[in-house]
Amino acid sequence: MLLFYSTNSNYHSEFNHIKVNLKEALLNGQAPDRGLYMPESFPTISTEELYSYSQKTYPEIAYQILNRYTEGIIPKETLYSLCIDAYNFEIPLEKVRGTTSNYILRLDRGPTASFKDFAARMMARMMSLFICESNEEITILTATSGDTGAAVANAFHNVPGIKVIILFPLKEVSERQRKQMSTLSGNITTIAIKGKFDDCQALVKKAFADTQLKKHIKLSSANSINIGRLLPQSVYYFYAASRITECKAPVVFSVPSGNFGDMMGGMIAMKMGLPIAQILAPVNGNDSFPNYLKCGEYQKIEPSRNCISNAMNVGHPSNLARLISLFGGQMNEKGEISHPADLTKLKEKVYSVSVSDDETQKTIISVWEKYQLLLEPHGAVGWNGYQRWLEIHPERKDIPAICLETAHPAKFPQHIRELLGIIPEAPLSLSSLDSLSEHYKTMDSDFDLFKQYLLDTVLK
Ligand SMILES: *Cc1c(COP(=O)(O)O)cnc(C)c1O
């Protein structure tokens, strides 16, 4: 059975013994030493099996990959039906008109119209299975800048044994994003915090660290600190490569990044043997990672900067601890590096650049004019990052490049209208929200208030 270690433990003997299986890693969310769980080793996939993926459907590929991690924990047939059930929507891979080898992978056709559905839907199904086995009740706390909350709320809605509490910054999410969370009710509670995303995240972190809460409530996380978010996010890399090169020749992926959970899915795919030439992880104005690659010193951005690609407004990406661990280093939850990573090797595999709001907007306009390609702000950061990489590596222009579009343009109708003069057509999942009634609570950013609220609602 595959075990998971904590990124805080490898150099500290005190916690060296903490290794858990997937079930515990998922239910704990974060390791007790506040590190993040990582697989002890990566199962590799033979080239023969990789080649066979071009003939398989998305749920079949998901089953093959995830089974490596769930063996001994989830029976094969059960996992297979979870995959069929979770991935019941389209995953368009569009060739960009007029290019020979550029593609857009649209990960925005799930029920909440962002790529977060891929992970949330699988994680909810796995957690529900584990909860049923153990007869426990669990409360999932999640801070969101918009898309995570929506995907998690939707995926966990009406799952027995699980309560979900979502904190979002009152003034920083769009109306549609808010309605995706606040119209569900039942086991989903939504709280608007009078503050920024960082305040929401700080409240959640404090709750995890609070010993009194821990005694009364079994808390878990659905943020991308949970390894259950990352494993399913490796699958679409295999899927996309199988459709373009049958996994026989390397491809480049450009992944617009905030907390770096999405790009870590790509790193996992690479570790499992998928031929990836390089992963591009462009960011918005929150540029702590490209600065780190440049100078080897890490400095988080505090407070995080507000950019139009709002789901990527992250000043200290939590998954960097995992990335650095993969390259032999160690970073704790505060962003302090106690053991440096092999920066040369890291840069061979990963490229990053900061894309400003102005460049993002110009990209949305230029790809529309040049290719009739409709991108929203996050996807535009991804495309721009690829162009910047090409400027440095013109010799690599023939390597097939897949840019991830992580949200549906109709989630950002006002930006698209201002820039292009059109209103993107909303999928039914978004347009049907307009007439539903909302239930959410508004709260000051105050831990004592929040804690009392948790005790009152969860224990009642
Ligand atoms: C969450 C999100 C991102 C960033 O993904 P990370 O895994 O946090 O790097 C990018 N785009 C959209 C639309 C998102 O919702």
Side-chain angles (χ1 to χ4, degrees):
M1 188 185 296
L2 193 66
L3 292 181
F4 294 78
Y5 71 90
S6 159
T7 52
N8 276 357
S9 77
N10 20 1
Y11 300 98
H12 293 305
S13 52
E14 186 194 346
F15 284 111
N16 240 342
H17 58 283
I18 308 184
K19 286 193 184 141
V20 300
N21 66 22
L22 181 69
K23 176 175 171 177
E24 283 177 82
L26 235 76
L27 294 181
N28 290 346
Q30 199 170 14
D33 63 2
R34 300 203 195 177
L36 304 186
Y37 288 116
M38 275 293 269
E40 212 173 9
S41 61
F42 287 91
T44 48
I45 301 199
S46 68
T47 46
E48 203 178 16
E49 182 178 333
L50 280 174
Y51 299 167
S52 76
Y53 289 174
S54 63
Q55 306 299 319
K56 289 190 164 34
T57 63
Y58 191 92
E60 285 167 349
I61 297 173
Y63 163 74
Q64 299 276 86
I65 304 293
L66 296 175
N67 185 43
R68 282 3 197 244
Y69 297 92
T70 57
E71 246 171 351
I73 297 180
I74 301 178
K76 283 186 181 353
E77 317 73 60
T78 310
L79 179 68
Y80 187 70
S81 53
L82 296 190
C83 291
I84 299 274
D85 191 47
Y87 302 118
N88 58 358
F89 48 86
E90 274 181 81
I91 305 160
L93 181 59
E94 290 173 11
K95 178 113 177 262
V96 180
R97 280 188 226 174
T99 68
T100 50
S101 56
N102 293 354
Y103 299 83
I104 299 290
L105 179 63
R106 292 202 185 266
L107 301 173
D108 59 358
R109 303 298 155 94
T112 70
S114 90
F115 87 97
K116 302 241 170 39
D117 285 323
F118 282 81
R121 286 171 70 76
M122 182 49 69
M123 192 165 94
R125 282 164 177 76
M126 286 188 183
M127 272 195 175
S128 155
L129 206 66
F130 298 152
I131 287 291
C132 286
E133 284 169 4
S134 65
N135 252 332
E136 271 184 302
E137 284 245 319
I138 193 165
T139 300
I140 292 180
L141 274 189
T142 291
T144 184
S145 55
D147 290 335
T148 296
V152 166
N154 187 286
F156 284 93
H157 191 215
N158 291 335
V159 173
I162 301 186
K163 281 190 178 136
V164 179
I165 297 180
I166 295 169
L167 275 59
F168 70 90
L170 179 62
K171 295 204 175 124
E172 286 181 16
V173 307
S174 74
E175 186 178 338
R176 272 197 175 138
Q177 285 176 319
R178 190 186 68 235
K179 286 195 163 180
Q180 286 183 313
M181 306 181 269
S182 63
T183 53
L184 290 171
S185 299
N187 62 331
I188 313 292
T189 304
T190 316
I191 306 177
I193 296 294
K194 293 181 192 160
K196 294 172 68 71
F197 169 66
D198 308 70
D199 298 313
C200 300
Q201 195 148 40
L203 288 174
V204 168
K205 283 191 176 155
K206 270 195 183 163
F208 278 116
D210 190 283
T211 40
Q212 195 194 359
L213 280 178
K214 223 182 260 172
K215 222 186 293 165
H216 294 291
I217 307 174
K218 171 106 179 114
L219 288 177
S220 188
S221 163
N223 283 99
S224 62
I225 59 173
N226 197 314
I227 188 73
R229 283 273 301 272
L230 298 199
L231 301 175
Q233 284 173 187
S234 66
V235 175
Y236 41 78
Y237 292 87
F238 289 96
Y239 172 78
S242 77
R243 283 346 190 229
I244 292 171
T245 65
E246 297 179 8
C247 302
K248 287 178 178 163
V251 293
V252 169
F253 283 98
S254 185
V255 191
S257 294
N259 245 328
F260 283 65
D262 196 359
M263 77 78 72
M264 277 304 294
M267 285 304 306
I268 292 173
M270 199 192 259
K271 282 275 171 189
M272 293 179 75
L274 183 66
I276 297 180
Q278 209 170 17
I279 296 179
L280 321 183
V283 297
N284 61 23
N286 291 280
D287 55 1
S288 51
F289 182 65
N291 287 343
Y292 163 70
L293 285 187
K294 221 180 284 165
C295 66
E297 303 241 342
Y298 179 74
Q299 199 126 46
K300 53 186 165 185
I301 310 287
E302 251 181 328
S304 55
R305 298 173 184 147
N306 259 341
C307 301
I308 56 171
S309 44
N310 67 351
M312 309 196 315
N313 292 340
V314 184
H316 170 44
S318 46
N319 280 293
L320 290 189
R322 286 194 169 107
L323 186 63
I324 283 178
S325 171
L326 275 189
F327 289 87
Q330 187 173 44
M331 173 191 261
N332 70 10
E333 68 283 0
K334 296 189 199 109
E336 297 156 353
I337 297 180
S338 56
H339 194 93
D342 185 334
L343 211 59
T344 313
K345 283 218 175 95
L346 174 56
K347 285 199 274 196
E348 265 169 34
K349 304 286 184 207
V350 182
Y351 162 86
S352 185
V353 65
S354 167
V355 179
S356 69
D357 277 357
D358 187 47
E359 290 163 321
T360 305
Q361 287 169 326
K362 284 186 177 143
T363 301
I364 293 177
I365 295 172
S366 69
V367 298
W368 177 248
E369 288 176 349
K370 198 163 168 193
Y371 307 111
Q372 289 82 56
L373 172 64
L374 183 58
L375 295 180
E376 53 70 60
H378 305 82
V381 168
W383 179 269
N384 187 282
Y386 171 57
Q387 301 305 320
R388 304 275 282 272
W389 177 81
L390 270 186
E391 284 167 18
I392 312 172
H393 295 290
E395 79 287 356
R396 302 176 91 177
K397 71 174 186 336
D398 294 329
I399 303 180
I402 302 164
C403 296
L404 273 46
E405 177 49 291
T406 47
H408 197 287
K411 269 195 147 173
F412 304 90
Q414 64 289 14
H415 288 304
I416 306 291
R417 201 184 53 222
E418 276 164 29
L419 295 170
L420 306 180
I422 57 167
I423 297 175
E425 195 179 334
L428 189 64
S429 60
L430 291 178
S431 59
S432 64
L433 291 169
D434 296 344
S435 61
L436 299 178
S437 61
E438 294 188 81
H439 305 275
Y440 65 93
K441 195 178 161 54
T442 306
M443 200 183 280
D444 284 327
S445 176
D446 176 312
F447 182 65
D448 291 332
L449 268 180
F450 177 56
K451 179 173 166 180
Q452 197 52 50
Y453 178 81
L454 276 181
L455 289 169
D456 293 347
T457 39
V458 177
L459 297 178
K460 87 169 174 227

